[in-house]
Structure formats: C-alpha cells, structure tokens
Amino acid sequence: ALEPVPALEPVPALEPVPAPPAPAPTECRIRRMAAEDLDPVISVENICFMEPISRDTFEAILQEQSYITYVAETPAGRSAGYLTLELRGDSQGYVMSLAVLPVFRCRGVARQLLQHALQKAFQDGAKTVKLHVHTQNVGAIRLYRRCGFEILCEASDFYGSGDDLQRGNAYLMGCSLATPQDEAK
C-alpha cells in the first residue's frame, strides 16, 4: 500500500538579486599616437583581435598622413585602447579599427575615442564617417548608434577568414557630421 505524501511547506518568495553596479567610468586622455605608443597599441590589438593588424601595417599607418590613430591613456599612463581613422579626400572619414582592452570595456573608453575622432574628422572637413562592424557585435553596434551612426547596408562575408567567431557579415554604418547650416547650403 502507498503511504500518503506529506504536505510540502510553502517556499518563501525569493527577492530579486540586484544587478551588479556598472563599472565606474574611466576618464582617459585621448591623444594622437606617437612612435613610442607602437608596442602598447600592438598589445591592445593582439588581445582584442584574433587576426590582429601587423606591426608593419601600424608602422606604415604612422607614416601615412591620411591615417590618424588616437590612443586612450588612463590617468595611470596605461593604454586602454586606440582608434584608427582614415581621412579620405572626398570629405569622408573611415574608422579602420577601434579596440579597447577587456578590463576597460563598458567604462566609456570607446565612446571617448569615437567622439574625439568624430570631432577631429569634422574639424578636418569630413562630412561623414563610416565604419564596418560585425553583425554579431551587439555592444559595438549599440555604441555606434548612440554616437549617431545608422546602418547603411550589410556586407556578406566581410570577415571571411579566421574561425567561426571572427567570420561573418558586417554592417556598414555611417554618421553625418554636417551641421543643419551645412545641409541648408
């Protein structure tokens, strides 16, 4: 014969666990990359990307006048990230690369780099700035949208080499730097 199952005690309601606080913003000094920044920037590149830009390419970028690389430097003098911007002769800029060390992500470093680069591009006569971003990079897409970028189109197999984490499509995003007065002309 089966014995009756004793009544279970009600389970007390669990209180929701609060989300951890967001990391404190890291205020960085944004400055143009110099030759002595090459090793720290390459270190950031190697940590952030599975297919990093080569040292030779960075050395060439330093010599090329149409490219500007900005470094985000923490108050302690550490390189937190960098952004490379190409200024094209057709009033356009192109963000070639933006990388922030994982420990400094979600602290406003990428936003500081991007806003600085957009301001400098505008001062140098650019009317638009474009970039490519992996369609799966939700955090970067969110940042770019908050900074005024819009998705223009999707490029199939833009990231064609590397493993499955790096392969895939990219969005081409663009940001207009023209002021309302410029657009009225």
Side-chain angles (χ1 to χ4, degrees):
L2 295 173
E3 293 187 25
V5 178
L8 297 174
E9 294 289 321
V11 178
L14 296 176
E15 296 203 20
V17 177
T26 301
E27 286 300 319
C28 290
R29 181 171 77 109
I30 309 298
R31 60 179 177 75
R32 193 167 184 156
M33 180 179 165
E36 59 269 12
D37 296 312
L38 194 56
D39 287 335
V41 165
I42 289 172
S43 177
V44 170
E45 177 74 11
N46 289 334
I47 290 167
C48 294
F49 297 109
M50 291 181 181
E51 292 186 20
I53 297 170
S54 71
R55 180 181 200 85
D56 289 343
T57 300
F58 271 114
E59 288 174 347
I61 286 170
L62 272 172
Q63 303 304 315
E64 183 63 44
Q65 291 202 341
S66 63
Y67 288 91
I68 304 168
T69 298
Y70 297 105
V71 176
E73 187 176 81
T74 68
R78 183 173 177 195
S79 292
Y82 79 91
L83 180 148
T84 298
L85 174 72
E86 178 187 8
L87 293 172
R88 298 176 174 171
D90 57 356
S91 300
Q92 283 195 30
Y94 181 79
V95 176
M96 181 179 143
S97 186
L98 171 58
V100 174
L101 287 173
V103 70
F104 293 108
R105 291 182 186 158
C106 299
R107 295 175 178 251
V109 175
R111 178 184 299 268
Q112 291 172 63
L113 280 163
L114 187 57
Q115 288 176 337
H116 184 86
L118 292 175
Q119 180 182 11
K120 294 295 186 180
F122 179 75
Q123 290 171 356
D124 287 345
K127 300 292 184 209
T128 60
V129 172
K130 295 179 181 175
L131 56 82
H132 283 92
V133 60
H134 198 293
T135 56
Q136 302 300 309
N137 193 341
V138 176
I141 294 166
R142 185 178 317 123
L143 166 71
Y144 298 142
R145 284 191 164 163
R146 287 180 180 162
C147 290
F149 284 82
E150 296 177 1
I151 294 173
L152 303 174
C153 65
E154 184 170 341
S156 297
D157 297 321
F158 184 82
Y159 301 103
S161 58
D163 64 17
D164 287 340
L165 293 174
Q166 290 287 321
R167 291 190 123 132
N169 297 349
Y171 290 129
L172 175 63
M173 298 184 77
C175 176
S176 174
L177 303 180
T179 64
Q181 294 82 12
D182 292 334
E183 291 175 354
K185 291 180 182 177

